[in-house]
């Protein structure tokens, strides 16, 4: 598979398993025409979450409901296709996207495309390997909501040959304490691996994990053992499920426990690592073991004392690349060999900036005032830069500003929202040759405005006198509309203004 710093590896699950019941969050069955229940999970339709794309049902027999339908996006002109989900500002969420191609477009090869979370590229989706094995693919990322919604978008890239698609979208609410050593104003955490060691059963999720994280089984040639006491998840960082401690990998007294984990080579990047341990023996004064942990020969934790109560250790900012070797070395006085129950590896995904809230609110209001805004006018208006809204140009700052609107001849109807005046960094508005109606709102706060083209529309009312007080205005084209009352004196007397009415 293709790897990059933003690539969060795909994981595969069988496509005929029973769906898990629902923890807190939204579970969206993409392409479905009605809500369904599977256990206590309620799979919702997409109504209210997305307005673009087409739905289809796969012909593959015996698929679970949330895999049997999908939404695909054939519009090649749109820069992105976004779901917008309600969220709690500052809340921490696990986002999971699930894909099963099923040859919905008559082809044999799934398309390759990008995923975007808010204004940042999250990953590249390539499900070809999993589909060839009859498996679905899923991707996960942990992110904090900066506002009252979260946008999850798909977008074409240079490798996209057919329509991007999605089978299911989940948003799971996490506790504030989870993964809290990460600065979520700067990073998201993309799941690379989450395993329980020594277990050979199916993927574990809810209700064993109340946050519906997927814990995959991991087995190698090291001895497997069962644990003889239970743990209290709330006593551990990240609240791992008790079931993740039921099995473990170990080795004999005095021997080193070596694991090639995760099993696939890693892209060069920085990672969050968490390990979960418990002495598997029956609790007693002698039920403890001491060992040191190294990753690729570098000390991760020295002389860790593991008892039957269990313990978590984590690293927030570890650089890794290629194949990873995990080594657990017993201290000389440890009565038994090392042991490991579970582990998580998440890649730090830099948050690439965002559009300032004032401009986002203004652009959303402009979109609502139009009857038929461009199909990609959801999600962040400016970011990622290659996926900004059609006709919208923005500054290159970390907190982007909208600087121009160029939407001529798009057949737009509706009116101009007064909120457009809050786009105070805009220097050019070009909306000519559309079907806009209503009046021109007060634009007096748009001090940077140089060019205003509204010709060949159906605008009416009076031409605002305030336009004459915009010091930087150089061009004003208003011809072929239905204005009344003539040109205000403030415009007639304005020097350096090219005006057509």
């Amino acid at each position: 598979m293709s790897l990059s710093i933003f690539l969060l590896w795909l994981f595969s699950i069988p496509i005929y398993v029973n769906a898990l019941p629902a923890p807190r969050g939204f579970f969206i069955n993409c392409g479905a025409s009605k809500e369904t229940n599977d256990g206590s999970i309620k799979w919702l339709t997409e109504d209210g979450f997305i307005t673009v794309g087409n739905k289809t049902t796969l012909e593959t027999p015996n698929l679970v409901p949330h895999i049997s339908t999908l939404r695909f996006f054939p519009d090649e002109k749109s820069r992105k296709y976004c779901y917008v989900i309600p969220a709690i500002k500052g809340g921490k969420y696990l986002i999971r996207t699930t894909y099963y191609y099923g040859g919905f477009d008559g082809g044999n090869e799934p398309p390759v495309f990008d995923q975007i979370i808010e204004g940042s590229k999250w990953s590249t989706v390539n499900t070809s390997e999993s589909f060839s094995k009859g498996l679905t693919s899923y991707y996960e990322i942990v992110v904090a909501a900066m506002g009252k919604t979260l946008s999850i978008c798909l977008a074409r890239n240079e490798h996209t040959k057919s329509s991007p698609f999605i089978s299911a979208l989940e948003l799971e609410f996490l506790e504030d304490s989870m993964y809290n050593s990460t600065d979520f104003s700067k990073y998201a955490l993309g799941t690379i691996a989450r395993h329980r060691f020594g277990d050979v059963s199916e993927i574990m999720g809810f209700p064993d994990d109340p946050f519906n994280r997927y814990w995959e089984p991991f087995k190698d040639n090291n001895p497997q053992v069962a644990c003889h006491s239970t743990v209290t998840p709330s006593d551990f960082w990240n609240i791992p499920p008790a079931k993740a401690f039921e099995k473990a990998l170990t080795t004999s007294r005095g021997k080193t426990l070596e694991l090639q984990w995760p099993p696939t080579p890693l892209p060069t990047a920085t990672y969050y690592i968490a390990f979960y341990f418990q002495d598997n023996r029956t609790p007693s004064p002698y039920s403890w073991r001491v060992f040191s942990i190294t990753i690729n020969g570098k000390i991760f934790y020295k002389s860790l004392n593991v008892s039957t109560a269990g313990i978590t250790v984590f690293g927030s900012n570890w650089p890794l690349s290629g194949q990873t070797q995990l080594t657990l070395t017993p201290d000389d006085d440890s009565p038994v060999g090392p042991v490991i129950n579970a582990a998580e590896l998440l890649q730090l995904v830099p948050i690439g900036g965002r559009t300032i809230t004032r401009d986002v609110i203004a652009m959303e209001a402009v979109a609502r005032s139009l009857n038929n805004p461009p199909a990609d006018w959801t999600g962040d208006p400016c970011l990622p830069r290659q996926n900004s809204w059609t006709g919208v140009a923005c500054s290159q700052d970390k907190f982007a500003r909208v600087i121009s609107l160029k939407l001529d001849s798009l057949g737009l109807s509706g009116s101009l929202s007064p909120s457009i005046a809050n786009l105070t960094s805009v220097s050019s508005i070009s909306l000519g040759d559309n079907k806009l109606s209503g009046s021109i709102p007060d634009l007096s706060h748009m001090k940077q405005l140089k060019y205003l083209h509204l010709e060949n529309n159906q605008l009416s009312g009076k031409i605002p006198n305030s336009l004459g007080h915009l010091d930087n205005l150089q061009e004003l084209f208003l011809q072929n509309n239905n204005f009344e009352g003539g040109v205000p004196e403030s415009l007639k007397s304005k020097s350096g203004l090219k005006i057509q009415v």
Side-chain angles (χ1 to χ4, degrees):
M1 68 186 74
S2 167
L3 298 178
S4 74
I5 192 168
F6 289 114
L7 177 62
L8 307 183
W9 291 1
L10 61 87
F11 296 87
S12 299
I13 54 177
I15 59 179
Y16 302 105
V17 299
N18 292 326
L20 296 170
R24 297 176 295 172
F26 292 91
F27 299 82
I28 302 172
N29 186 357
C30 303
S33 58
K34 63 180 181 180
E35 295 182 358
T36 57
N37 291 284
D38 195 339
S40 63
I41 192 170
K42 184 176 183 180
W43 287 97
L44 305 173
T45 67
E46 300 159 295
D47 295 345
F49 300 119
I50 194 168
T51 59
V52 298
N54 299 337
K55 301 188 294 185
T56 191
T57 299
L58 299 177
E59 297 180 358
T60 308
N62 302 320
L63 294 177
V64 295
H66 69 281
I67 300 300
S68 64
T69 62
L70 59 81
R71 180 171 290 267
F72 65 99
F73 305 95
D75 183 0
E76 297 183 12
K77 295 182 180 179
S78 292
R79 297 181 178 182
K80 56 188 171 188
Y81 323 96
C82 296
Y83 289 82
V84 179
I85 315 294
I88 299 171
K89 185 176 181 180
K92 195 178 299 177
Y93 295 88
L94 184 145
I95 309 268
R96 181 184 298 121
T97 52
T98 302
Y99 301 94
Y100 181 66
Y101 171 58
F104 74 89
D105 56 1
N108 297 312
E109 186 74 14
V112 176
F113 50 91
D114 290 336
Q115 294 185 117
I116 298 167
I117 184 75
E118 296 288 87
S120 299
K121 180 181 174 181
W122 161 14
S123 65
T124 297
V125 175
N126 186 344
T127 67
S128 298
E129 181 179 351
S130 290
F131 177 67
S132 68
K133 298 176 181 178
L135 300 171
T136 64
S137 301
Y138 71 88
Y139 296 72
E140 291 180 355
I141 194 167
V142 177
V143 64
M146 298 302 170
K148 295 182 180 180
T149 61
L150 276 168
S151 63
I152 302 96
C153 312
L154 308 183
R156 295 170 182 267
N157 60 32
E158 66 272 20
H159 304 294
T160 307
K161 297 180 180 180
S162 56
S163 299
F165 73 98
I166 184 169
S167 303
L169 172 61
E170 301 169 56
L171 185 148
E172 337 267 1
F173 184 77
L174 302 179
E175 295 291 344
D176 289 341
S177 64
M178 298 171 68
Y179 313 107
N180 63 0
S181 63
T182 300
D183 185 348
F184 282 97
S185 68
K186 296 180 180 179
Y187 299 98
L189 292 176
T191 303
I192 298 297
R194 184 180 293 112
H195 285 101
R196 33 193 231 287
F197 296 105
D199 200 312
V200 295
S201 58
E202 294 181 343
I203 291 175
M204 181 186 70
F206 190 85
D208 297 298
D209 187 326
F211 309 102
N212 201 19
R213 290 168 293 184
Y214 285 173
W215 298 79
E216 296 191 336
F218 182 97
K219 179 181 177 294
D220 64 5
N221 294 324
N222 288 294
Q224 306 163 52
V225 291
C227 295
H228 296 284
S229 61
T230 59
V231 299
T232 302
S234 59
D235 291 342
F236 294 80
W237 286 108
N238 303 330
I239 318 178
K243 193 171 182 178
F245 291 86
E246 290 182 354
K247 301 288 181 62
L249 292 177
T250 189
T251 190
S252 303
R253 178 179 180 178
K255 290 187 177 181
T256 295
L257 177 60
E258 294 185 348
L259 302 171
Q260 185 172 289
W261 182 86
T264 314
L266 297 172
T268 301
T270 305
Y271 297 88
Y272 176 100
I273 309 171
F275 296 116
Y276 305 96
F277 306 97
Q278 181 196 22
D279 191 311
N280 66 291
R281 296 172 294 170
T282 302
S284 77
Y286 306 101
S287 299
W288 56 270
R289 57 186 81 202
V290 180
F291 52 87
S292 296
I293 308 163
T294 61
I295 301 176
N296 293 338
K298 182 180 178 181
I299 287 289
F300 183 85
Y301 201 100
K302 188 172 179 60
S303 297
L304 178 69
N305 191 324
V306 175
S307 70
T308 56
I311 193 170
T312 302
V313 293
F314 66 89
S316 301
N317 198 9
W318 271 74
L320 294 173
S321 179
Q323 195 64 63
T324 303
Q325 184 76 16
L326 177 63
T327 304
L328 309 182
T329 304
D331 282 16
D332 292 339
D333 59 349
S334 183
V336 287
V339 67
I340 185 169
N341 298 79
E344 294 182 275
L345 183 68
L346 300 100
Q347 182 178 339
L348 272 69
V349 180
I351 300 297
R354 56 191 176 94
T355 305
I356 68 164
T357 302
R358 176 190 179 97
D359 284 14
V360 172
I361 293 172
M363 287 303 302
E364 289 174 345
V366 171
R368 288 193 299 269
S369 70
L370 300 175
N371 297 328
N372 53 342
D376 53 18
W377 272 36
T378 52
D380 191 293
C382 295
L383 300 171
R385 303 197 186 285
Q386 68 271 25
N387 304 108
S388 63
W389 290 6
T390 292
V392 177
C394 302
S395 68
Q396 300 295 307
D397 307 311
K398 179 179 180 181
F399 295 99
R401 299 295 309 271
V402 177
I403 58 176
S404 76
L405 301 176
K406 184 173 177 57
L407 297 156
D408 305 272
S409 305
L410 292 182
L412 300 177
S413 61
S415 60
L416 286 177
S417 169
S419 294
I420 197 172
N422 293 329
L423 300 170
T424 53
S425 289
V426 165
S427 62
S428 176
I429 297 176
S430 188
L431 296 169
D433 297 290
N434 285 296
K435 299 176 182 179
L436 299 174
S437 57
S439 60
I440 299 176
D442 180 3
L443 305 180
S444 58
H445 294 298
M446 304 186 76
K447 304 300 184 182
Q448 304 301 317
L449 191 62
K450 296 180 180 179
Y451 309 102
L452 180 59
H453 286 230
L454 300 174
E455 69 274 13
N456 302 322
N457 277 284
Q458 299 167 13
L459 297 168
S460 59
K462 293 183 178 181
I463 299 173
N465 183 65
S466 59
L467 292 175
H469 303 300
L470 295 175
D471 293 340
N472 291 308
L473 192 62
Q474 299 174 17
E475 289 185 3
L476 179 61
F477 289 9
L478 302 176
Q479 67 271 26
N480 298 322
N481 280 286
N482 301 314
F483 295 116
E484 56 188 51
V487 179
E489 288 299 321
S490 61
L491 287 170
K492 289 181 180 179
S493 59
K494 185 174 178 59
S495 61
L497 175 64
K498 182 179 180 180
I499 183 170
Q500 295 185 25
V501 180

